[in-house]
Amino acid sequence: MSEDPRDDPRWAQVRAAASRPVPTPPGLVERVLRSVGGVRGRHTTSPLDLPSAGGKTQVSERALVLMTRRLAAEIGRDLGGVYVSAVALEDEVLQVLVTVRFGVEAAAAEVLRHRVAEALTGQLGSAPPAINVHVVDVHPD
């Protein structure tokens, strides 16, 4: 039987941080909702042109967001304790929002970012747009 992580004295730091309101970055909610709307087919955008060895690869925002979400979720499971909440594309930068299990080091976000970029490069055959990973929540299990 493992101990409850909430009994860890460091959990008080998480409670203190959680009690302070953190402003949502400007436009984040709109970007995520726009992305979800795009994934569900409510609007379409022009495809992104990604440079590749022989010219360019065109990929739709919907396809890129869905591919990124799937790959990030798989990689997060492999890392353990990293769960993808949302993925959006804003100004040609992928925004990946994650929740982490208490005790998972913050460096996991950078590892996730790097591995997702590698996986997308393999899937697309060219470098993906820049990727930002945001840790938006911590949970005890």
Side-chain angles (χ1 to χ4, degrees), residues 68-87 96-116 133-139 141:
T68 302
R69 183 175 177 89
R70 183 184 59 80
L71 291 169
E74 289 174 7
I75 294 166
R77 276 192 300 274
D78 291 345
L79 290 172
V82 179
Y83 308 96
V84 176
S85 304
V87 175
V96 180
L97 283 61
V98 299
T99 298
V100 297
R101 184 185 67 240
F102 178 72
V104 172
E105 293 184 22
E110 178 59 23
V111 172
L112 178 71
R113 188 193 66 73
H114 180 73
R115 290 187 185 171
V116 168
V133 176
H134 307 272
V135 178
V136 295
D137 201 1
V138 176
H139 66 88
D141 335 269

Side-chain angles (χ1 to χ4, degrees), residues 3 8 12 25 30 32 39 42 45 51 54-55 57 59-60 62 65-66 81 98 104-105 110 112 127 139:
E3 292 183 34
D8 186 318
E30 291 80 8
V32 170
V39 167
R42 291 191 182 131
T45 58
T57 299
V59 61
S60 72
R62 178 180 188 271
V65 166
L66 286 171
V98 299
V104 172
E105 293 184 22
E110 178 59 23
L112 178 71
H139 66 88

Side-chain angles (χ1 to χ4, degrees), residues 13 20 28-29 32 43-44 46 51 57 67 69-70 77-78 80-81 87 92 97 106 114 117 122 125 131-132:
Q13 296 169 344
R20 283 183 245 131
L28 180 61
V29 172
V32 170
H43 79 281
T44 59
S46 299
T57 299
M67 189 180 311
R69 183 175 177 89
R70 183 184 59 80
R77 276 192 300 274
D78 291 345
V87 175
E92 296 189 12
L97 283 61
H114 180 73
I131 301 168
N132 293 327

Side-chain angles (χ1 to χ4, degrees), residues 16-42:
S19 69
R20 283 183 245 131
V22 177
T24 302
L28 180 61
V29 172
E30 291 80 8
R31 290 191 306 263
V32 170
L33 291 175
R34 184 177 60 80
S35 178
V36 168
V39 167
R40 292 193 175 158
R42 291 191 182 131

